[in-house]
Each structure stands twice: as structure tokens, then as C-alpha cells.
């Protein structure tokens, strides 16, 4: 029979999966709102971020309560502390989707993204979402191969991000400095979103293997 | 007589103070290197960041070890979990100073900051350093008044940051888009540095009062 403690640990993993799904949905909607200058969807992302924050806050309280009551052995304690760090990464990913939605709202009804950048920004958005959609499987299966795949996805993100900044700075940019400032910040938000997703996956990798994923690259 | 556990808790506080001093020194040097396009200082900030990361890594291991051995009661456990979060904030502040130094290195021997922005960027740098220099006293005295003062300093940072972005976007910017992209990112790094400093101080405030500082503003 499974112990109450084991059930509590599984509950924490499930909540991390739920939180991952919430932030994946947020970045999906944030990108859609951004490309289409859709105020309604942007507002939804902004208000959903409060739910993500509350969910994370409750999860963290639950984790601390489990540590206090169960006084877990070193390996379980490490897993619970890691869960706290993962929830912090996921909460931050929600913030970054929220930031993207706020840029959309600020410029509405104008579009933030010039038409010729739509494909690239869409691509960046889908790479970000794609990385974050892999997190639940990494958490559920502790599949270290998949965890390493996220590192590759993040390399793709970095490449696209450099491409985006390149388009701003190659002397053909004709949309003015304000648009360049917006695009610079958006690029940064997506890049950081992916960084935090990779960080979640690295933490799982470390729990499973006891070594850091980035040292294997 | 003071218990071993109490001494260990004090040791954690002292390490957080040390880490704060390290990141305050980093942001000080990062700003100096930026304004003066001083490659040597920029390189120092970049290599010091590894020391900060190692220091934080050791501190975190020590905190988890204390939790595992001492199985602290709820309030002490909460303080130790908070210490983990504070160390993560401080480590991130080190990263941001490191990012600023990397922009300096990337553009060297060119100056990243146009001469007419020197005063503003210097001001932003000193507000960032000033906030982070207050952290040791907040940690050592748990002075909630001082913790609230950091919120005010952060309002000042937000004002200066808006002013900086305003200078980029008011149609008088004559330094091109690449410089605008650099300044946008630098502004973001300083703003985030201050945010994390405020986050450290809010965590102390919460430990002492049991309420969130931002709800009192």
C-alpha cells in the first residue's frame, strides 16, 4: 500500500504538471493576442496570471507543510525543495506571458509586431510553447533524454532570438525606435520564458541523475 | 548558551549578507565599466559572477543540510525556505550585473551609453546599488521600516527606467536602433536587479510580520 507521504509527493508532482499546463496555455494565448492585437485574449492572459500566482502560492504552502509534518529523509527533502524551485520557475513563466500580454494591451489597437515579423515572432512563440508543453512529461516520466531535448529546443530559441535582434539592428529597420524597443523586450520575455522551462527540466534531470544537464553538452 | 542550531541559522544570515555585499560590489563595478567602457572591470564582474554562483550553491546545500539534520519547527523551517529564496534572488542579481558587463564587453572599445545619457544611467546604477546595499541591514536588523524604504527606492528606479525608455522613444533619438536595443536591455537588467533586491526585502518583511509589504503600499 502506498503511504500518505508518497501520495502527497505525487500530489505535488501533479500540481507542478497543472501549473505547467497553465503557463503553456498562457504563452499560447499571449502569442495569439500579440500577433492578432486581440485585446480580449490579452486581458484573459493578464487575469489568468493572478490564478497562476495563487495556485503557486498554495502549492508552496503545501510543500512547506509536507516538509514540516513528514520530516523527510535527505533525498525526499531534496525533491521537495526542488519542487519549490520548479514552482518558482513556472510562476515566473506565467509572469513573462503576462508581460507579453501587457505590451499587446498597451499598444492596442495598434499591432506591436510589424507584418513582416509575424512569422518569426509566431515561430518564437511556438518554440516557447513547445518547450513548456514538454515539462509535464519530463515531470511525470523523469525521462532524462527528453530533459536533454529541452536544451536543444532552447538552442533553437536562442538562434531565433538572435535572428530577431539581427532584424532590428541590420540598418533596414523602418518601424522606428519605439517598435524596436517593444520587440527587444518581447524577444527578451520569450527567451526568459524558455530559460525557465529549461531550468525546470534541468532540475528534474539533476534529481534523477545527480549531475547537471548542462555539463553534458 | 546558544544552540548549535541557532548558530547555524546565524551562519545562514551571515552568508546572505556576504552574498548581498558581493552583488552590490558587482553592480557598482558593472556600472563603472559600462560608463567608462572599461574592459578590465567588465571582465572582473564577469569572472566574479562564477564566485557568486558557487557561493550561492554552497549556501543552498548548507541550508538543505540544516533542514535535513535539525528537522526544524514550522517557523524555523519557513525562515530556512525563505533563505533559499533570498539566495536565489541574490544569485539572479549577480547574473544581471554580469549581463550588464557582457554588453560592455561586446561593444568595447565603443561606449554603449551615449554621452548625454551618462548621468541618467549613472543615476540608475547608483539607485540599483543603493537598494542592494540596504539588504544586509534589513537581514541583520529585520527592520520593517527599512524594508518598506526599499519599495520607495524601487519606485524611484521605475521612474528613472520610464525616463530612459522615454528618451529612446520621443523621436529625438539619434544613435540608431542598435544602441536603442542595448539601452533597452540595460534598462531592463537594472530594473530587474532592483526588483530582486525588493523581493529579498519583502521576504524579510513577511518573515517578521506575516503579511506582504506590497499590500501596505
Amino acid at each position: 500500500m502506498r503511504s500518505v507521504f508518497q501520495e502527497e509527493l505525487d500530489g505535488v508532482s501533479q500540481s507542478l504538471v497543472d501549473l505547467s499546463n497553465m503557463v503553456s496555455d498562457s504563452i499560447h494565448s499571449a502569442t495569439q493576442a500579440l500577433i492578432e492585437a486581440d485585446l480580449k485574449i490579452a486581458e484573459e492572459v493578464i487575469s489568468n496570471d493572478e490564478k497562476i500566482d495563487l495556485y503557486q502560492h498554495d502549492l508552496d504552502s503545501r510543500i512547506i507543510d509536507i516538509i514540516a509534518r513528514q520530516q523527510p529523509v535527505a533525498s525526499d527533502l531534496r525533491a521537495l525543495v526542488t519542487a519549490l524551485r520548479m514552482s518558482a520557475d513556472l510562476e515566473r513563466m506565467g509572469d513573462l506571458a503576462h508581460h507579453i500580454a501587457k505590451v499587446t494591451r498597451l499598444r492596442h489597437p495598434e499591432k506591436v509586431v510589424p507584418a513582416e515579423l509575424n512569422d518569426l515572432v509566431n515561430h518564437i512563440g511556438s518554440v516557447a510553447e513547445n518547450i513548456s508543453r514538454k515539462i509535464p512529461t519530463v515531470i511525470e516520466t523523469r525521462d532524462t533524454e527528453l530533459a536533454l531535448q529541452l536544451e536543444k529546443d532552447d538552442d533553437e530559441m536562442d538562434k531565433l532570438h538572435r535572428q530577431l535582434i539581427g532584424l532590428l539592428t541590420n540598418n533596414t529597420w523602418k518601424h522606428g525606435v519605439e517598435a524596436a524597443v517593444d520587440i527587444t523586450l518581447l524577444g527578451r520575455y520569450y527567451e526568459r520564458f524558455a530559460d525557465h522551462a529549461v531550468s525546470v527540466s534541468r532540475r528534474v534531470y539533476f534529481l534523477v541523475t545527480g549531475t547537471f544537464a548542462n555539463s553534458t553538452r
Side-chain angles (χ1 to χ4, degrees), chain A:
Chain A
M1 213 185 105
R2 295 158 41 69
S3 68
V4 171
F5 178 54
Q6 190 55 51
E7 274 177 23
E8 285 182 325
L9 286 186
D10 290 349
V12 168
S13 287
Q14 183 56 50
S15 295
L16 289 169
V17 166
D18 293 345
L19 209 45
S20 307
N21 289 331
M22 289 162 88
V23 303
S24 298
D25 292 346
S26 274
I27 199 74
H28 174 89
S29 299
T31 304
Q32 192 188 350
L34 175 67
I35 298 291
E36 296 167 13
D38 188 319
L39 184 61
K40 190 163 159 285
I41 297 176
E43 295 282 12
E44 277 168 21
V45 173
I46 292 166
S47 69
N48 272 336
D49 190 45
E50 278 177 47
K51 289 182 201 155
I52 292 173
D53 290 352
L54 278 177
Y55 195 96
Q56 186 234 0
H57 193 262
D58 288 350
L59 172 58
D60 282 8
S61 303
R62 224 167 75 222
I63 294 171
I64 295 169
D65 180 60
I66 295 171
I67 299 174
R69 280 185 297 101
Q70 301 279 2
Q71 312 205 320
V73 296
S75 62
D76 289 332
L77 175 61
R78 208 172 305 119
L80 285 163
V81 168
T82 300
L84 283 174
R85 290 173 171 149
M86 287 159 76
S87 92
D89 280 316
L90 291 164
E91 188 270 333
R92 186 71 197 142
M93 289 163 74
D95 285 347
L96 291 159
H98 168 256
H99 287 354
I100 294 167
K102 277 178 79 177
V103 177
T104 303
R105 183 172 72 179
L106 183 68
R107 301 300 176 212
H108 186 268
E110 298 291 317
K111 289 193 175 180
V112 184
V113 181
E116 73 265 28
L117 261 65
N118 271 349
D119 286 351
L120 179 57
V121 173
N122 239 330
H123 192 175
I124 289 174
S126 61
V127 170
E129 182 185 348
N130 180 37
I131 298 185
S132 126
R133 294 274 179 218
K134 288 178 181 168
I135 292 177
T137 313
V138 171
I139 293 173
E140 282 164 351
T141 65
R142 297 192 165 204
D143 178 344
T144 54
E145 282 305 309
L146 182 61
L148 289 176
Q149 229 184 73
L150 270 82
E151 306 274 339
K152 289 233 169 66
D153 294 331
D154 192 41
D155 291 343
E156 170 78 3
M157 172 60 86
D158 290 343
K159 205 188 81 189
L160 293 170
H161 184 240
R162 277 194 301 274
Q163 196 178 329
L164 182 70
I165 299 296
L167 289 175
L168 299 178
T169 56
N170 69 0
N171 292 320
T172 64
W173 182 254
K174 56 181 196 290
H175 304 282
V177 178
E178 184 171 87
V181 168
D182 283 346
I183 299 287
T184 302
L185 289 175
L186 288 169
R188 178 81 186 149
Y189 300 150
Y190 279 110
E191 188 201 14
R192 290 296 299 154
F193 183 96
D195 284 346
H196 283 285
V198 169
S199 165
V200 171
S201 140
R202 279 187 185 165
R203 295 185 199 286
V204 175
Y205 188 97
F206 183 76
L207 272 184
V208 175
T209 67
T211 61
F212 291 106
N214 52 347
S215 66
T216 68
R217 289 168 82 188

